């Protein structure tokens, strides 16, 4: 058998003009960066391939050293991008090239929920006529709003429409058949069988490979090393070799953002619980503590980025680390979800699910509760996490947020009531000493990533947890049902929100234990 191991340059030379290219990645996690770099270099040298459409169920690359999609963010090379998320980072960092292309209308860019993008790959592989789903109705995904379009170029070429089916309203996404899939694993044998023993997640590489193969396409796999044929355990092979055409070796590939390799992320060792840092005392910890009070022992919970990522550390500190099973969209189940650059991974995981299967679980609402952050909330209870017009790259887009919230039984949103307010935490209460620059409680969110009205129609249990109060959606808008001691309801909630939040007559006090510098005594 002819060797499948080739240089990155040889692999990308097989990608034709106008190809649809599917990339398996989650920011730095599982990113086939060497292949993407070679693709960008080939275009610089030859002017080809041109006018590519790329599919990214989760972001490819980050802003901290793994360029990913930025390698191919070039005029003429990239014509259309359909992604669940995009590289994001701090405002102090330069805007990524892909974001410049989007805001300057130089590429048609779409933000499609990650689960729907995985559904697209499965449906096109099975020759079904596109994705039919109710995920995203009444949000920016809906063509009655933005229809996933991120700029004018995308608006001019819609990819989703509303349809009537079986007496109900659905969203229908057209098929995008991959001509090429680029994925990443740890080890390939000489026949192209792939194992993932150093990876922090399987992501969707198998589904993406099948989608390309079933459409007579090309599959390129980047790996850390190559071993002899027949030396891999069949149970360990996640992508079989008959689906793989080219193997590109990068012995220096990073496991995830700013992490060359941590065996606990890939489940090869188990860290003692004492190794994990607890949440630092401050306002965010106070919010995370209140969110954690919504948990019960034995539950399965989903976790999003931001303040909510601290909730597992609250449970750790309070002696409940194993009482809840966490499930995150990249695929880890159980263990200790990581924070910061390593978010999306977990140490000491019980299992790793392929992301497409994890999203099937999420879309159907099989878990008990989800903890998610917010950028802004409006008086209808709508939430925006997916768009910031002034600094677009501060948010990655929707990712799995829309899939997760579509049928979740219970949703706990967490965030600051105002931006950059002067807050004083004491054992007696939380005091606002200086008003914030602006309220996160707005008249109308810039992007509807979550529809408060649809949630009420569906009977979902929704809370909004901030440092000042806990809110719910009432008949006339947001209502504060719990008030933090020290907070002046009229000044710090009603006036600070411009009257968009009212205070319930029977509002109760949030427990002072949330403000303790010691353990709060959480019972779940």
């Amino acid at each position: 058998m002819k060797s499948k191991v080739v240089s990155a340059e040889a692999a990308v030379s097989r990608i034709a003009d106008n190809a649809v290219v599917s990339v398996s990645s989650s920011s730095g996690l599982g990113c086939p960066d060497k292949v993407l770099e070679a693709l960008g270099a080939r275009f610089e040298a030859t002017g080809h391939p041109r006018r590519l459409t790329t599919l990214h169920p989760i972001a490819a690359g980050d802003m901290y050293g793994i360029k990913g999609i930025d390698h191919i963010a070039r005029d003429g090379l990239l014509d259309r991008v359909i992604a669940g998320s995009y590289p994001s980072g701090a405002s102090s960092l330069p805007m990524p090239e892909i974001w410049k292309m989007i805001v300057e209308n130089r590429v048609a860019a779409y933000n499609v929920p990650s689960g729907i993008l995985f559904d697209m790959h499965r449906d096109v592989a099975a020759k079904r006529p596109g994705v039919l789903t109710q995920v995203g109705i009444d949000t920016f995904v809906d063509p009655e709003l933005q229809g996933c379009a991120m700029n004018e170029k995308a608006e001019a070429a819609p990819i989703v429409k509303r349809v009537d089916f079986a007496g109900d309203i659905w969203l229908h996404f057209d098929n995008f058949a991959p001509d090429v899939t680029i994925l990443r694993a740890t080890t390939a044998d000489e026949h192209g069988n792939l194992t993932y023993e150093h990876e922090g997640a399987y992501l969707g590489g198998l589904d993406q490979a099948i989608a390309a193969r079933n459409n007579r396409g090309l599959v390129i796999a980047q790996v850390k090393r190559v071993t002899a044929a027949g030396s891999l355990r069949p149970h360990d092979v996640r992508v079989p070799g008959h689906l793989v055409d080219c193997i590109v070796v990068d012995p220096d590939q990073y496991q995830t953002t700013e992490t060359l390799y941590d065996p606990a992320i890939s489940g090869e060792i188990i860290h003692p619980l004492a190794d994990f840092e607890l949440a630092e005392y401050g306002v965010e910890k106070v919010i995370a503590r209140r969110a954690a009070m919504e948990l019960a022992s034995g539950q399965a919970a989903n976790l999003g980025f931001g303040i909510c990522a601290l909730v597992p550390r609250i449970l750790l500190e309070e002696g409940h680390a194993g009482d809840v099973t966490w499930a995150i969209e990249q695929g880890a189940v159980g263990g200790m979800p990581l924070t910061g650059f390593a978010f999306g991974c977990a140490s000491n995981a019980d299992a790793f699910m392929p992301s497409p299967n994890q999203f099937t679980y999420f879309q159907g609402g099989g878990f008990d509760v989800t903890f998610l952050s917010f950028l802004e909330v409006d008086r209808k209870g709508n939430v925006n996490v997916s768009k910031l017009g002034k600094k677009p790259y501060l948010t990655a887009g929707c990712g799995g947020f829309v899939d997760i919230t579509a049928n979740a039984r219970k949703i706990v949103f967490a965030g600051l009531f105002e931006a950059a307010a002067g807050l004083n935490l004491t054992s007696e209460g939380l005091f606002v000493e200086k008003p914030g620059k602006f309220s996160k409680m707005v008249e109308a969110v810039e992007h509807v990533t979550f529809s408060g009205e649809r949630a009420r129609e569906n009977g979902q249990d929704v809370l909004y947890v901030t440092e000042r109060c806990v809110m719910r959606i009432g008949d006339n808008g947001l209502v504060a049902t719990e008030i933090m001691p020290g907070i002046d309801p009229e000044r710090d909630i009603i006036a600070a929100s411009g009257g968009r939040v009212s205070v319930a007559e029977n509002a109760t006090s949030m427990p002072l234990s949330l403000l303790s510098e010691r353990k709060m005594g959480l019972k779940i």
Side-chain angles (χ1 to χ4, degrees):
M1 178 182 288
K2 182 180 177 181
S3 175
K4 295 183 178 182
V5 180
V6 299
S7 67
E9 293 73 20
V12 300
S13 71
R14 298 177 60 177
I15 301 176
D17 290 353
N18 303 304
V20 176
V21 180
S22 179
V23 181
S24 179
S25 178
S26 176
S27 298
L29 176 63
C31 184
D33 202 56
K34 184 171 184 176
V35 176
L36 294 175
E37 181 181 20
L39 181 56
R42 179 192 167 202
F43 179 78
E44 282 296 301
T46 69
H48 296 280
R50 300 186 61 80
R51 299 179 298 277
L52 298 185
T53 293
T54 58
L55 309 177
H56 307 267
I58 317 179
D62 55 48
M63 292 172 60
Y64 305 93
I66 300 175
K67 290 183 67 174
I69 193 174
D70 257 25
H71 287 303
I72 59 173
R74 303 164 191 261
D75 293 320
L77 167 59
L78 205 54
D79 183 62
R80 182 170 53 178
V81 181
I82 303 169
S85 51
Y86 290 79
S88 63
S91 60
S92 58
L93 295 174
M95 184 185 292
E97 290 303 314
I98 185 61
W99 277 108
K100 292 179 184 176
M101 292 187 75
I102 292 169
V103 299
E104 294 168 8
N105 209 40
R106 291 154 44 208
V107 63
Y110 305 83
N111 186 200
V112 176
S114 293
I116 292 178
L117 271 166
F118 284 124
D119 291 339
M120 283 183 180
H121 285 81
R122 287 181 164 180
D123 283 1
V124 76
K127 310 298 183 181
R128 291 188 283 261
V131 176
L132 194 66
T133 182
Q134 291 189 324
V135 170
I137 289 178
D138 294 336
T139 74
F140 80 94
V141 176
D142 195 320
E144 292 199 352
L145 296 175
Q146 289 81 19
C148 299
M150 297 177 70
N151 56 16
E152 292 178 6
K153 202 165 187 178
E155 288 174 5
I159 63 171
V160 57
K161 55 183 175 289
R162 273 192 172 221
V163 297
D164 291 316
F165 178 76
D168 213 342
I169 297 296
W170 297 74
L171 301 184
H172 180 263
F173 288 83
D174 293 330
N175 275 334
F176 291 91
D179 301 296
V180 182
T181 283
I182 304 172
L183 57 89
R184 200 188 90 180
T186 300
T187 304
D189 72 6
E190 294 170 293
H191 292 163
N193 296 301
L194 305 179
T195 58
Y196 281 65
E197 62 271 21
H198 289 178
E199 306 304 315
Y202 301 132
L203 301 177
L206 175 59
D207 287 62
Q208 290 166 269
I210 293 171
R213 174 59 71 244
N214 285 10
N215 288 282
R216 306 294 185 265
L218 171 74
V219 178
I220 301 169
Q222 179 183 309
V223 297
K224 202 178 201 178
R225 57 200 183 185
V226 175
T227 190
S231 61
L232 299 176
R233 288 181 68 248
H235 277 290
D236 294 336
V237 173
R238 307 302 304 187
V239 180
H242 71 286
L243 299 178
V244 177
D245 299 291
C246 300
I247 301 165
V248 174
V249 180
D250 180 8
D252 301 318
Q253 64 187 22
Y254 271 61
Q255 189 181 44
T256 189
T257 301
E258 294 206 334
T259 305
L260 184 59
Y261 172 55
D262 176 354
I265 286 176
S266 44
E268 297 165 274
I269 65 170
I270 301 297
H271 276 309
L273 292 179
D275 286 0
F276 297 105
E277 293 183 2
L278 301 178
E280 182 180 352
Y281 183 74
V283 174
E284 292 190 351
K285 184 173 185 176
V286 170
I287 296 171
R289 279 175 162 174
R290 177 59 190 86
M293 290 174 61
E294 296 302 314
L295 284 164
S297 182
Q299 287 187 328
N302 168 256
L303 193 70
F305 185 67
I307 292 174
C308 284
L310 299 176
V311 174
R313 305 305 171 106
I314 303 300
L315 267 61
L316 173 63
E317 183 177 10
E318 299 292 330
H320 300 294
D323 291 0
V324 169
T325 298
W326 300 103
I328 52 182
E329 63 189 63
Q330 288 77 7
V333 177
M336 181 60 65
L338 301 182
T339 58
F341 291 126
F343 183 80
C345 301
S347 288
N348 305 356
D350 298 326
F352 293 105
M353 291 266 285
S355 289
N357 299 95
Q358 191 80 299
F359 274 106
T360 298
Y361 173 62
F362 290 158
Q363 288 178 347
F367 52 97
D368 294 292
V369 57
T370 180
F371 295 89
L372 300 166
S373 300
F374 63 77
L375 292 175
E376 55 182 7
V377 182
D378 67 23
R379 64 165 69 245
K380 295 180 180 179
N382 298 324
V383 172
N384 174 25
V385 299
S386 49
K387 184 179 180 182
L388 280 175
K390 294 180 180 178
K391 294 240 179 178
Y393 63 97
L394 295 188
T395 172
C398 70
F401 188 100
V402 180
D403 304 283
I404 291 162
T405 56
N407 290 299
R409 302 173 222 173
K410 183 170 187 172
I411 305 168
V412 180
F413 293 114
L416 292 166
F417 197 90
E418 286 187 317
L423 303 174
N424 182 23
L425 279 66
T426 76
S427 60
E428 301 301 319
L430 183 150
F431 301 91
V432 180
E433 297 184 340
K434 178 184 176 183
K437 292 182 179 178
F438 56 87
S439 175
K440 299 290 190 75
M441 308 299 128
V442 299
E443 186 64 28
V445 293
E446 187 172 356
H447 226 211
V448 179
T449 331
F450 168 79
S451 169
E453 289 182 326
R454 185 167 179 83
R456 291 195 78 192
E457 291 171 4
N458 291 341
Q460 292 170 287
D461 184 8
V462 185
L463 286 81
Y464 306 82
V465 178
T466 74
E467 78 286 1
R468 302 184 189 189
C469 60
V470 176
M471 297 168 286
R472 291 184 176 273
I473 309 171
D475 293 335
N476 298 309
L478 289 176
V479 180
T481 57
E482 299 175 34
I483 312 297
M484 179 65 75
I487 291 297
D488 180 330
E490 184 64 41
R491 182 193 66 190
D492 301 331
I493 295 175
I494 297 173
S497 68
R500 300 178 189 104
V501 180
S502 62
V503 176
E505 290 184 4
N506 59 347
T508 59
S509 291
M510 298 169 72
L512 277 172
S513 58
L514 298 175
L515 301 170
S516 173
E517 294 193 44
R518 298 188 178 90
K519 293 181 181 181
M520 66 174 288
L522 177 68
K523 306 294 183 185
I524 66 171

